[in-house]
Amino acid sequence: MTLKKKARSRFVRFLGKQLREDRTTLQIYSRDMADLPSLVSIFFQNIPDGVILASSVKDIQTIYSVANETKTPITQRAAGTAGLGGSITYKKGLVIDTKGFEQHYLVNPLDQTVVVSPSYVFSDLQRKLKLEGFSLCSYPSSYHSATIGGWIAHGGHGIGSAQYGGVLEQIVEIEVVLPTGHLVKYTERDHISLFVGSHGTLGTITEVTLRVKFDIPLKHQGCTFDSPKELIQGLEEIVRIFPYSVWFLNPEHVALFNETFGYNLPIRYVAIISKEVNFEEEELEFSRLFNNAVRNAGGQILDRRYTEDIWQFRFKSFSMLKQCKDFVVSEVILPIEASDKYIRKLVSKFKGNIHLEGEVISPTHYALMMYLLYDEKLSSLKKTLLNLKLFNLTIGSKKVKGTPYSTGLWFSGYYGKIYGKDELRRYKEFKKSVDPKNISNPGKVLSPKLRFLPIVSLKFAVRLASRLIL
Amino acid sequence: MFMSSSTDWQVDVLEFAQKCIYCGYCSLCPTYKELKWETYHPRGILEQIKLYFTEGTKEEVKLDTSKSLFEAIFACTMCKMCENICLADIPLLKIWEQIRQESFKKGRWNPSMLSLYNKVKDTYNIYGLPSEDRLTWAKMSGLVMTRRTKKKAPLAYFIGCQAAYSGKMGQVAPSVVKILRKTKTNFTILGTDEWCCGSPVFLAGGYSVGKSFAKHNLDELKKLGVKRLVTACSGCYRTFKIVYPRVLGDSWDIEVLHISELANELIKAGKLKLKHKFKEKITFKDPCELVRHCELIEAPRDVINSIPNVRFEELPSNRNEALCCGGGGLLKLNDSELVGKVNSKLISEIEYSEADIVANGCPTCLDTIMTGVKNKGLDVEVIDIAELILRAMGDK
């Protein structure tokens, strides 16, 4: 326990049993989805001093008040289903578990919006919305576990983003407790965008108004391509027919998909396209446009039998990981145009070990999930090297302008690359005005300094390591 | 697979815990949703298992972990939602059972759990009441069971402790018996020789005591030449269907049926006719032990839909996604307040469905739903599916 005595007594006084400091709890809250090699954890302090289960706006205000007073770093955590280190502590302090937030939910059918608490898990919210004839516009592939608040803080894209955009496009209003303790509501896009992808560094989200849509049935079509070049041409053609979702796999991943789920898909690049269809004429039109798009790109149409129930496996990709002993995962956002070279490079670098799964997130970009799968348990050193290699490939390619999926801890320092320089400047100004003591999730978004060498930033160190070692 | 000893019964909990990919899908756990600390999250429990079982862990750390681990493991309702959604196919329920066993070995059961365990062990029922009282339900409902008790027959009706002893479940056993009599089905009951199926003992992690119960019930059934066993209790059903084959191996060759399955069979054979029309809207709550543990989904629906002009409506969460009532996994003994919290979500769904009758196939669900409905002041009748079938046959 390294929490200062004064700070501890203040937190205990105000939050009582909502604060836990036992070893087991701290250990559990010291990781997110990525099981980090022990070597990496030498450079930062991921085991917190305590965990607070916050349940209300008042709790968050109290936490900020005491944290400011005692200079205690706080790190917000929702479902902890991302693997970028955004919800683990960089320099100890307290983890604030926002899953404890009291849940409320109110649909406004006229505006087609829903007001929800950030602790709602997407699948729970979707179930409720469907009962009222509505549906989420877009949602993450970790739909069964990720929370609304977590997705916003992470800055996500996902299924449905091809048509409805990422999380930023879904938010109508956001309520936040700033590190100053003030409760504010923002409706302007300029303000909302600051909180998307900022990992709680600018405040803690306490309520969100999301745009929803009518629950229109989806029709699915599938196609296959022989090469990355054909695949990319295919994606360029397919986005023109305004799909709801475009999901694709590389041949290695298709083989694993077949093995895991008992399918018999052709071992080529396979893409599954979904579109909202209201009536039969629309469906016929979708089929016609889809067939033309695939043929123009030189692909083949997949038998409809394959695509009927394939949708349900959208949320089960990670179950393919059970087929291997160890794995390393990373995600990158790529422009559709000319990214076939990048895919080819990835495949040649990792020779058969790399499995790719992509989701188109806009008419021009897609998110590419990269899995490195191994039949043996990797040593800590090898895992670190693979992480660095993947890191280098994710952000180091100059020909293809790929960006990390989000910043978190591992890609801290890349905010400007993801959101643009102007946005970074605005972010820094806002951060300075609301959190001058840097207590709200330090070490994230902006690259922190190394623990043992405080003149070097984490971004620089990781980049240097990835270049030198490889 | 046949498990001849308690060692075979066990799985390598540490190996499986290490297989967790931390996707967090198991966050749909109904008790985690209420308690909210990640120490109660199934993936959090697996992390604790790693800490507890890894070789070389200091005793001090083990002790610290065990406190939180055992607390979390007894907050589980054994609803199997976590295992069903697990992307890594981890046999979570077997692991939870084993941790409960570990807790017993370390003397860390809470007194009410221990008391239940001793009651079952000493009196062969969960209430600690004399075996002679096992047929009180028949006397109370005016049924004479003398000629049916311990008589040779191909079918046995296993009543179960709750239907036999609990006043709240007073209508379950008479309903089943009346259905069997009216359809002229040749059946027998074990009477005072019926022992608890062992479900609470197995759920608590007691392998050897549970096995002795299984052996006794099998011997008694064999003596009567029983080939098929019917029960109206989903806990007994799961134990006979899943646990007994694991414990007794090939010697357990009795076909197990839930009353809804048997009724469905009788309807199809034209022996059971549902002629009474219901004005009320009916819904069905899938018991976890039927739907997720044993994949019994359609039989109760087929039966209800055989009622002429029935107004049947599914609950919003149904079939494999059915909500847990909160009463399973012996949670009532550990944290009755938590049972109420978990149950309130189900009650809200019942309210949303606007049903007049909630049918069910599990005495534990029946009990918790009745309490929830009463607490919320809903005008809903909660009955067992056997009772519903009997009413649909025209019996008042």
Side-chain angles (χ1 to χ4, degrees), chain A residues 293-313:
Chain A
V294 176
R295 283 201 190 106
N296 288 344
Q300 292 100 48
I301 307 291
L302 196 62
D303 193 319
R304 279 295 287 272
R305 281 174 301 172
Y306 288 123
T307 54
E308 284 302 316
D309 59 348
I310 210 165
W311 183 257
Q312 60 177 303
F313 298 107

mmCIF file of all heavy atoms in Angstrom, chain A residues 293-313:
data_model
loop_
_atom_site.group_PDB
_atom_site.id
_atom_site.type_symbol
_atom_site.label_atom_id
_atom_site.label_comp_id
_atom_site.label_asym_id
_atom_site.label_seq_id
_atom_site.Cartn_x
_atom_site.Cartn_y
_atom_site.Cartn_z
ATOM 1 N N ALA A 293 -20.570 -5.206 -58.212
ATOM 2 C CA ALA A 293 -19.372 -4.726 -57.514
ATOM 3 C C ALA A 293 -18.320 -5.832 -57.426
ATOM 4 O O ALA A 293 -17.135 -5.599 -57.684
ATOM 5 C CB ALA A 293 -19.744 -4.238 -56.114
ATOM 6 N N VAL A 294 -18.747 -7.016 -57.078
ATOM 7 C CA VAL A 294 -17.805 -8.128 -56.910
ATOM 8 C C VAL A 294 -17.206 -8.524 -58.257
ATOM 9 O O VAL A 294 -15.996 -8.744 -58.387
ATOM 10 C CB VAL A 294 -18.499 -9.333 -56.220
ATOM 11 C CG1 VAL A 294 -17.562 -10.527 -56.139
ATOM 12 C CG2 VAL A 294 -18.956 -8.949 -54.821
ATOM 13 N N ARG A 295 -18.050 -8.574 -59.267
ATOM 14 C CA ARG A 295 -17.536 -8.957 -60.598
ATOM 15 C C ARG A 295 -16.534 -7.925 -61.121
ATOM 16 O O ARG A 295 -15.504 -8.283 -61.682
ATOM 17 C CB ARG A 295 -18.701 -9.114 -61.572
ATOM 18 C CG ARG A 295 -19.396 -10.427 -61.311
ATOM 19 C CD ARG A 295 -20.206 -10.928 -62.481
ATOM 20 N NE ARG A 295 -21.005 -12.050 -62.018
ATOM 21 C CZ ARG A 295 -22.306 -11.994 -61.796
ATOM 22 N NH1 ARG A 295 -22.953 -10.875 -62.017
ATOM 23 N NH2 ARG A 295 -22.960 -13.042 -61.360
ATOM 24 N N ASN A 296 -16.824 -6.643 -60.884
ATOM 25 C CA ASN A 296 -15.902 -5.585 -61.339
ATOM 26 C C ASN A 296 -14.523 -5.745 -60.719
ATOM 27 O O ASN A 296 -13.518 -5.379 -61.309
ATOM 28 C CB ASN A 296 -16.446 -4.197 -60.964
ATOM 29 C CG ASN A 296 -17.645 -3.830 -61.812
ATOM 30 O OD1 ASN A 296 -17.881 -4.455 -62.846
ATOM 31 N ND2 ASN A 296 -18.400 -2.830 -61.383
ATOM 32 N N ALA A 297 -14.510 -6.276 -59.501
ATOM 33 C CA ALA A 297 -13.228 -6.426 -58.800
ATOM 34 C C ALA A 297 -12.584 -7.788 -59.071
ATOM 35 O O ALA A 297 -11.500 -8.062 -58.569
ATOM 36 C CB ALA A 297 -13.445 -6.239 -57.299
ATOM 37 N N GLY A 298 -13.229 -8.616 -59.822
ATOM 38 C CA GLY A 298 -12.664 -9.927 -60.146
ATOM 39 C C GLY A 298 -12.896 -10.980 -59.075
ATOM 40 O O GLY A 298 -12.210 -12.005 -59.070
ATOM 41 N N GLY A 299 -13.828 -10.745 -58.180
ATOM 42 C CA GLY A 299 -14.109 -11.717 -57.112
ATOM 43 C C GLY A 299 -15.195 -12.701 -57.500
ATOM 44 O O GLY A 299 -15.763 -12.636 -58.592
ATOM 45 N N GLN A 300 -15.459 -13.620 -56.594
ATOM 46 C CA GLN A 300 -16.538 -14.592 -56.827
ATOM 47 C C GLN A 300 -17.604 -14.447 -55.726
ATOM 48 O O GLN A 300 -17.255 -14.175 -54.572
ATOM 49 C CB GLN A 300 -16.003 -16.026 -56.783
ATOM 50 C CG GLN A 300 -15.087 -16.390 -57.937
ATOM 51 C CD GLN A 300 -13.628 -16.311 -57.551
ATOM 52 O OE1 GLN A 300 -13.250 -16.837 -56.517
ATOM 53 N NE2 GLN A 300 -12.823 -15.617 -58.339
ATOM 54 N N ILE A 301 -18.833 -14.676 -56.121
ATOM 55 C CA ILE A 301 -19.928 -14.590 -55.147
ATOM 56 C C ILE A 301 -19.940 -15.877 -54.316
ATOM 57 O O ILE A 301 -19.801 -16.970 -54.855
ATOM 58 C CB ILE A 301 -21.294 -14.419 -55.863
ATOM 59 C CG1 ILE A 301 -21.266 -13.244 -56.845
ATOM 60 C CG2 ILE A 301 -22.434 -14.283 -54.847
ATOM 61 C CD1 ILE A 301 -21.183 -11.879 -56.254
ATOM 62 N N LEU A 302 -20.122 -15.693 -53.035
ATOM 63 C CA LEU A 302 -20.162 -16.843 -52.129
ATOM 64 C C LEU A 302 -21.589 -17.384 -52.068
ATOM 65 O O LEU A 302 -22.541 -16.606 -52.054
ATOM 66 C CB LEU A 302 -19.708 -16.379 -50.743
ATOM 67 C CG LEU A 302 -19.299 -17.402 -49.711
ATOM 68 C CD1 LEU A 302 -18.093 -18.203 -50.177
ATOM 69 C CD2 LEU A 302 -18.946 -16.696 -48.407
ATOM 70 N N ASP A 303 -21.696 -18.694 -52.011
ATOM 71 C CA ASP A 303 -22.999 -19.336 -51.911
ATOM 72 C C ASP A 303 -23.788 -18.760 -50.730
ATOM 73 O O ASP A 303 -23.248 -18.636 -49.632
ATOM 74 C CB ASP A 303 -22.773 -20.846 -51.709
ATOM 75 C CG ASP A 303 -24.043 -21.652 -51.906
ATOM 76 O OD1 ASP A 303 -25.085 -21.176 -51.432
ATOM 77 O OD2 ASP A 303 -23.977 -22.724 -52.510
ATOM 78 N N ARG A 304 -25.065 -18.429 -50.966
ATOM 79 C CA ARG A 304 -25.882 -17.809 -49.912
ATOM 80 C C ARG A 304 -25.982 -18.676 -48.654
ATOM 81 O O ARG A 304 -26.168 -18.169 -47.546
ATOM 82 C CB ARG A 304 -27.294 -17.521 -50.430
ATOM 83 C CG ARG A 304 -27.428 -16.262 -51.253
ATOM 84 C CD ARG A 304 -27.167 -15.000 -50.471
ATOM 85 N NE ARG A 304 -28.235 -14.649 -49.543
ATOM 86 C CZ ARG A 304 -29.277 -13.909 -49.879
ATOM 87 N NH1 ARG A 304 -29.406 -13.468 -51.098
ATOM 88 N NH2 ARG A 304 -30.192 -13.610 -48.981
ATOM 89 N N ARG A 305 -25.834 -20.000 -48.832
ATOM 90 C CA ARG A 305 -25.943 -20.903 -47.666
ATOM 91 C C ARG A 305 -24.881 -20.561 -46.613
ATOM 92 O O ARG A 305 -25.085 -20.734 -45.433
ATOM 93 C CB ARG A 305 -25.782 -22.357 -48.105
ATOM 94 C CG ARG A 305 -27.019 -22.951 -48.720
ATOM 95 C CD ARG A 305 -26.735 -24.310 -49.251
ATOM 96 N NE ARG A 305 -25.674 -24.268 -50.269
ATOM 97 C CZ ARG A 305 -25.103 -25.336 -50.799
ATOM 98 N NH1 ARG A 305 -25.452 -26.524 -50.417
ATOM 99 N NH2 ARG A 305 -24.178 -25.221 -51.726
ATOM 100 N N TYR A 306 -23.709 -20.090 -47.102
ATOM 101 C CA TYR A 306 -22.631 -19.766 -46.164
ATOM 102 C C TYR A 306 -22.945 -18.519 -45.336
ATOM 103 O O TYR A 306 -22.498 -18.357 -44.222
ATOM 104 C CB TYR A 306 -21.336 -19.499 -46.927
ATOM 105 C CG TYR A 306 -20.688 -20.721 -47.527
ATOM 106 C CD1 TYR A 306 -20.422 -20.783 -48.885
ATOM 107 C CD2 TYR A 306 -20.315 -21.786 -46.726
ATOM 108 C CE1 TYR A 306 -19.812 -21.887 -49.448
ATOM 109 C CE2 TYR A 306 -19.701 -22.894 -47.277
ATOM 110 C CZ TYR A 306 -19.457 -22.948 -48.634
ATOM 111 O OH TYR A 306 -18.857 -24.038 -49.176
ATOM 112 N N THR A 307 -23.665 -17.607 -45.968
ATOM 113 C CA THR A 307 -23.816 -16.303 -45.325
ATOM 114 C C THR A 307 -25.053 -16.192 -44.437
ATOM 115 O O THR A 307 -25.190 -15.244 -43.693
ATOM 116 C CB THR A 307 -23.883 -15.191 -46.402
ATOM 117 O OG1 THR A 307 -24.914 -15.549 -47.322
ATOM 118 C CG2 THR A 307 -22.571 -15.054 -47.130
ATOM 119 N N GLU A 308 -25.938 -17.193 -44.525
ATOM 120 C CA GLU A 308 -27.191 -17.107 -43.778
ATOM 121 C C GLU A 308 -26.966 -16.882 -42.280
ATOM 122 O O GLU A 308 -27.451 -15.940 -41.691
ATOM 123 C CB GLU A 308 -28.036 -18.360 -43.993
ATOM 124 C CG GLU A 308 -28.730 -18.427 -45.345
ATOM 125 C CD GLU A 308 -29.639 -17.256 -45.630
ATOM 126 O OE1 GLU A 308 -30.391 -16.876 -44.725
ATOM 127 O OE2 GLU A 308 -29.588 -16.723 -46.755
ATOM 128 N N ASP A 309 -26.192 -17.806 -41.666
ATOM 129 C CA ASP A 309 -26.055 -17.688 -40.213
ATOM 130 C C ASP A 309 -24.640 -17.283 -39.779
ATOM 131 O O ASP A 309 -24.280 -17.396 -38.633
ATOM 132 C CB ASP A 309 -26.460 -19.005 -39.521
ATOM 133 C CG ASP A 309 -25.617 -20.166 -39.989
ATOM 134 O OD1 ASP A 309 -24.911 -19.989 -40.989
ATOM 135 O OD2 ASP A 309 -25.656 -21.227 -39.354
ATOM 136 N N ILE A 310 -23.866 -16.771 -40.717
ATOM 137 C CA ILE A 310 -22.475 -16.421 -40.398
ATOM 138 C C ILE A 310 -22.404 -15.199 -39.479
ATOM 139 O O ILE A 310 -21.458 -15.014 -38.731
ATOM 140 C CB ILE A 310 -21.667 -16.207 -41.707
ATOM 141 C CG1 ILE A 310 -20.200 -16.579 -41.476
ATOM 142 C CG2 ILE A 310 -21.791 -14.816 -42.263
ATOM 143 C CD1 ILE A 310 -19.418 -16.751 -42.751
ATOM 144 N N TRP A 311 -23.460 -14.390 -39.537
ATOM 145 C CA TRP A 311 -23.480 -13.146 -38.759
ATOM 146 C C TRP A 311 -23.240 -13.380 -37.280
ATOM 147 O O TRP A 311 -22.557 -12.612 -36.614
ATOM 148 C CB TRP A 311 -24.826 -12.445 -38.986
ATOM 149 C CG TRP A 311 -24.924 -11.120 -38.294
ATOM 150 C CD1 TRP A 311 -25.593 -10.858 -37.147
ATOM 151 C CD2 TRP A 311 -24.320 -9.893 -38.705
ATOM 152 N NE1 TRP A 311 -25.460 -9.538 -36.818
ATOM 153 C CE2 TRP A 311 -24.675 -8.918 -37.759
ATOM 154 C CE3 TRP A 311 -23.513 -9.514 -39.777
ATOM 155 C CZ2 TRP A 311 -24.264 -7.596 -37.840
ATOM 156 C CZ3 TRP A 311 -23.096 -8.202 -39.855
ATOM 157 C CH2 TRP A 311 -23.462 -7.261 -38.908
ATOM 158 N N GLN A 312 -23.806 -14.471 -36.776
ATOM 159 C CA GLN A 312 -23.678 -14.722 -35.331
ATOM 160 C C GLN A 312 -22.226 -14.926 -34.895
ATOM 161 O O GLN A 312 -21.891 -14.757 -33.733
ATOM 162 C CB GLN A 312 -24.509 -15.940 -34.922
ATOM 163 C CG GLN A 312 -24.087 -17.197 -35.627
ATOM 164 C CD GLN A 312 -24.877 -18.396 -35.161
ATOM 165 O OE1 GLN A 312 -24.896 -18.697 -33.995
ATOM 166 N NE2 GLN A 312 -25.513 -19.055 -36.100
ATOM 167 N N PHE A 313 -21.350 -15.283 -35.862
ATOM 168 C CA PHE A 313 -19.944 -15.494 -35.501
ATOM 169 C C PHE A 313 -19.146 -14.191 -35.467
ATOM 170 O O PHE A 313 -17.980 -14.194 -35.128
ATOM 171 C CB PHE A 313 -19.302 -16.509 -36.458
ATOM 172 C CG PHE A 313 -19.949 -17.858 -36.377
ATOM 173 C CD1 PHE A 313 -20.770 -18.313 -37.378
ATOM 174 C CD2 PHE A 313 -19.764 -18.653 -35.258
ATOM 175 C CE1 PHE A 313 -21.393 -19.542 -37.280
ATOM 176 C CE2 PHE A 313 -20.388 -19.886 -35.154
ATOM 177 C CZ PHE A 313 -21.203 -20.330 -36.166
#
